[in-house]
């Protein structure tokens, strides 16, 4: 069908079963809009709660330590449900999982806003996390079916741009809301946006072919135990918890992972995508993703300590100094999206990660009294490098999997990101414990090494067939 200018949302009866090469306009524009709204809600809500924790703890008469569960409950719910919900998307349709994810997220946001105790807020945040997982687990799969194949890189780039902007402005949005309204409004603002996105999602998102078979509930339980305990152990290390307890938790996670992997070997479409990990391009792209997000997380967690404790900058100055990184990613991502449709992911990703590693090394080598310009241009280098990596790598993960396994690929993409971020935060805590006087700079050096290692893995994809 020839492209037409957007006019109206087509009614459900006009929405075609997905074509082999994307969906037509104007339906594509409306589908992109609901994907953008859902992703913004999920990412933004993961970023804004940190800012409000002191206020929430005070208003709900909770201890600061207990209030951290407002953040941890959301992250844990997302992590344990990504792969099961991606599997549901393969079986029952990505559109349906996304639609109900939006509904659950919106209702849970209202529950968060109406909470009058830490317990009810934590429960609402758990439900909200499941809704966010419904959005994030099949987001990439839907992008693959919304866009024509020649434009998939642009679609992934747009998603990266939206995610980067939402992550960057999260603290600013939270501070702005808290300056004029109490903390429940941090969650209440999601409700009208959700009510806008939900009907569009039901009308515009494409239907897709569905895999045969039944949902594997035992595998979902083993998956939740594996990744849940793994994230708890990593987060415990990241918050300075007991090393022996974290070690025991990691041992349990390994046992559950073994049971899960053994069960997956007999599955035709395994929840933990072992079948996809046999595709070297997919496996190398996932490994690159984990290593790169370890590097990014280590940098973004340790930099505030460098700016405030070592360089004596204020909290407001620190927030502004951190902005160049995600801003550069947001600007670069659409450009690299177009490039990823023409050039190998191994080349773009490897080059970008090498630039990022160089930027991190330059940040670690900052002089004792750097100017604002000294800091900003180095972080811009990091952001540009990460922007060149992120979109091509996500495209490689999504397109290296068969179309009927797009949900599993999308879920694995999100899971690798969360694991990398959690591991990076834990590594910073370990560095601070090992190097009390220079933990921040040591963390940045390790982050540069992780980015360089990720670059090597990325370049190795150039030897793989179809490594574009």
């Amino acid at each position: 069908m020839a492209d037409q200018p957007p006019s109206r949302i087509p009614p459900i009866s006009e929405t075609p079963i997905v074509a082999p090469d994307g969906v037509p306009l104007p339906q594509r524009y409306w589908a992109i809009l609901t994907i953008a709204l859902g992703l913004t809600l999920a990412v933004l809500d993961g970023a804004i709660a940190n800012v409000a924790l002191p206020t929430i703890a005070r208003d709900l008469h909770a201890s600061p330590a207990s209030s951290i569960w407002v953040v941890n409950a959301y992250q844990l719910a997302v992590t344990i449900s990504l792969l099961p919900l991606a599997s549901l998307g393969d079986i029952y349709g990505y559109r349906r999982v996304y639609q109900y994810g939006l509904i659950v997220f919106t209702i849970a946001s209202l529950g968060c806003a109406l909470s009058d105790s830490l317990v009810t807020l934590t429960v609402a945040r758990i439900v909200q996390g499941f809704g966010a997982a419904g959005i994030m687990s099949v987001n990439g799969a839907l992008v693959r079916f919304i866009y024509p194949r020649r434009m998939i890189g642009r679609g992934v780039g747009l998603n990266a741009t939206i995610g980067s902007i939402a992550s960057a402005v999260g603290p600013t949005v939270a501070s702005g809301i808290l300056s004029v309204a109490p903390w429940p409004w941090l969650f209440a603002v999601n409700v009208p946006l959700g009510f806008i996105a939900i009907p569009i999602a039901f009308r515009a998102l494409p239907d897709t072919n569905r895999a045969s078979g039944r949902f594997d509930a035992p595998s979902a339980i083993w998956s939740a135990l594996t990744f849940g305990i793994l994230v708890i152990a990593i987060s415990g290390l990241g918050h300075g918890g007991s090393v022996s307890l974290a070690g025991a938790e990691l041992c349990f996670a390994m046992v559950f992972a073994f049971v899960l992997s053994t069960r997956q070997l007999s599955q035709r479409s395994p929840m933990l995508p072992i079948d996809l990990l046999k595709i070297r391009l997919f496996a190398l792209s996932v490994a690159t993703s984990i290593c790169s997000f370890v590097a990014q997380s280590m940098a973004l967690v340790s930099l505030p300590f460098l700016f405030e404790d070592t360089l004596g900058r204020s909290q407001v100055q620190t927030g502004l100094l951190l902005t160049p990184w995600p801003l550069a990613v947001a600007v670069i991502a659409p450009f690299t999206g177009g490039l990823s449709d023409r050039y190998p992911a191994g080349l773009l990703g490897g080059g970008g990660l090498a630039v990022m590693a160089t930027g991190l090394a330059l940040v670690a080598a900052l002089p004792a009294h750097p100017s604002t310009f000294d800091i900003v241009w180095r972080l811009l280098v990091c952001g540009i490098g990460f922007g060149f990596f992120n979109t091509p790598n996500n495209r490689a993960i999504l397109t290296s999997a068969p179309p009927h396994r797009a949900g599993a690929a999308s879920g694995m993409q999100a899971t690798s990101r969360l694991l990398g971020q959690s591991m990076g935060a834990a590594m910073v805590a370990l560095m601070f414990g090992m190097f009390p006087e220079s933990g921040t700079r040591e963390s940045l050096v390790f982050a540069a090494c992780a980015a360089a290692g990720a670059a090597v893995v990325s370049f190795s994809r150039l030897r793989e067939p179809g490594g574009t």
Side-chain angles (χ1 to χ4, degrees), residues 9 30-31 33-38 41 98 102-103 106 189-204:
I9 305 175
W30 290 108
L33 176 61
T34 192
I35 290 288
L37 285 172
L41 290 173
Y98 191 92
L102 267 177
I103 293 173
T106 304
V189 295
N190 295 331
V191 178
L193 291 175
F195 280 131
I196 293 172
I198 289 169
I200 302 176
F202 272 84
R203 287 186 164 186

Side-chain angles (χ1 to χ4, degrees), residues 5-230:
S7 56
R8 62 183 180 90
I9 305 175
I12 296 175
S13 60
E14 293 179 14
T15 302
I17 298 298
V18 67
D21 199 28
V23 297
L25 299 178
Q27 180 188 351
R28 190 189 309 158
Y29 287 136
W30 290 108
I32 294 168
L33 176 61
T34 192
I35 290 288
L37 285 172
L39 183 62
T40 299
L41 290 173
V43 173
L44 195 63
D45 228 64
I48 63 176
N50 288 312
V51 178
L53 282 184
T55 303
I56 292 173
R58 183 173 60 254
D59 288 356
L60 298 182
H61 309 290
S63 67
S66 299
S67 68
I68 294 176
W69 274 104
V70 174
V71 175
N72 288 351
Y74 181 87
Q75 182 185 24
L76 190 61
V78 170
T79 304
I80 67 174
S81 56
L82 277 172
L83 291 181
L85 287 172
S87 178
L88 282 174
D90 283 335
I91 297 171
Y92 298 107
Y94 312 127
R95 164 181 167 164
R96 184 176 298 182
V97 171
Y98 191 92
Q99 290 166 343
Y100 287 106
L102 267 177
I103 293 173
V104 170
F105 184 91
T106 304
I107 295 174
S109 295
L110 181 60
C112 290
L114 298 176
S115 296
D116 57 359
S117 70
L118 184 63
V119 173
T120 55
L121 177 58
T122 301
V123 171
R125 285 284 283 174
I126 292 173
V127 178
Q128 192 184 41
F130 288 138
I135 294 170
M136 291 190 287
S137 62
V138 297
N139 181 278
L142 282 169
V143 167
R144 179 171 181 176
F145 287 98
I146 290 171
Y147 287 87
R149 184 173 179 83
R150 70 182 189 280
M151 297 176 61
I152 288 177
R154 300 178 193 177
V156 175
L158 178 62
N159 266 18
T161 302
I162 294 168
S164 296
I165 293 175
S167 178
V169 304
T172 304
V173 170
S175 298
I177 292 174
L178 291 174
S179 67
V180 297
W183 65 263
W185 282 97
L186 292 174
F187 306 105
V189 295
N190 295 331
V191 178
L193 291 175
F195 280 131
I196 293 172
I198 289 169
I200 302 176
F202 272 84
R203 287 186 164 186
L205 290 181
D207 202 357
T208 58
N209 296 327
R210 300 164 191 179
S212 59
R214 300 175 59 185
F215 181 69
D216 187 2
S219 290
I221 295 173
W222 291 119
S223 174
L225 288 171
T226 299
F227 289 100
I229 295 176
L230 179 61

Side-chain angles (χ1 to χ4, degrees), residues 89-391:
D90 283 335
I91 297 171
Y92 298 107
Y94 312 127
R95 164 181 167 164
R96 184 176 298 182
V97 171
Y98 191 92
Q99 290 166 343
Y100 287 106
L102 267 177
I103 293 173
V104 170
F105 184 91
T106 304
I107 295 174
S109 295
L110 181 60
C112 290
L114 298 176
S115 296
D116 57 359
S117 70
L118 184 63
V119 173
T120 55
L121 177 58
T122 301
V123 171
R125 285 284 283 174
I126 292 173
V127 178
Q128 192 184 41
F130 288 138
I135 294 170
M136 291 190 287
S137 62
V138 297
N139 181 278
L142 282 169
V143 167
R144 179 171 181 176
F145 287 98
I146 290 171
Y147 287 87
R149 184 173 179 83
R150 70 182 189 280
M151 297 176 61
I152 288 177
R154 300 178 193 177
V156 175
L158 178 62
N159 266 18
T161 302
I162 294 168
S164 296
I165 293 175
S167 178
V169 304
T172 304
V173 170
S175 298
I177 292 174
L178 291 174
S179 67
V180 297
W183 65 263
W185 282 97
L186 292 174
F187 306 105
V189 295
N190 295 331
V191 178
L193 291 175
F195 280 131
I196 293 172
I198 289 169
I200 302 176
F202 272 84
R203 287 186 164 186
L205 290 181
D207 202 357
T208 58
N209 296 327
R210 300 164 191 179
S212 59
R214 300 175 59 185
F215 181 69
D216 187 2
S219 290
I221 295 173
W222 291 119
S223 174
L225 288 171
T226 299
F227 289 100
I229 295 176
L230 179 61
V231 168
I232 289 172
I234 294 173
S235 298
L237 288 174
H239 290 95
S242 168
V243 175
S244 58
L245 176 61
E249 290 168 342
L250 288 173
C251 289
F252 277 111
M254 290 175 63
V255 171
F256 292 138
F258 175 78
V259 175
L260 173 64
S261 300
T262 302
R263 181 177 178 84
Q264 300 307 284
L265 292 174
S266 62
Q267 303 295 316
R268 182 177 179 182
S269 297
M271 186 172 297
L272 179 67
I274 293 178
D275 57 328
L276 299 183
L277 291 173
K278 294 177 181 178
I279 304 172
R280 278 183 54 83
L281 177 60
F282 181 88
L284 289 171
S285 299
V286 169
T288 306
S289 181
I290 293 174
C291 293
S292 64
F293 278 102
V294 167
Q296 185 200 48
S297 180
M298 289 192 71
L300 295 182
V301 170
S302 60
L303 281 173
F305 293 95
L306 174 66
F307 295 155
E308 294 181 32
D309 296 346
T310 304
L311 303 181
R313 304 299 177 98
S314 67
Q315 285 186 339
V316 174
Q317 290 173 325
T318 295
L320 292 174
L321 286 173
L322 289 172
T323 303
W325 185 319
L327 183 62
V329 176
V331 173
I332 290 294
F335 172 68
T336 55
L339 289 179
S340 69
D341 288 326
R342 291 179 287 164
Y343 299 102
L347 179 63
L348 295 173
L353 288 166
V355 171
M356 178 182 168
T358 302
L360 288 170
L362 290 169
V363 175
L366 273 169
H369 303 287
S371 66
T372 298
F373 178 75
D374 288 331
I375 299 171
V376 167
W377 76 261
R378 286 170 167 83
L379 292 185
L380 281 174
V381 171
C382 294
I384 291 171
F386 190 83
F388 264 90
F389 146 77
N390 194 34
T391 300

Side-chain angles (χ1 to χ4, degrees), residues 404-427:
H404 71 280
R405 297 286 284 146
S410 179
M412 199 63 189
Q413 172 197 328
T415 300
S416 65
R417 182 186 73 249
L418 289 174
L419 284 178
Q421 290 171 339
S422 299
M423 291 169 64
M427 287 301 301

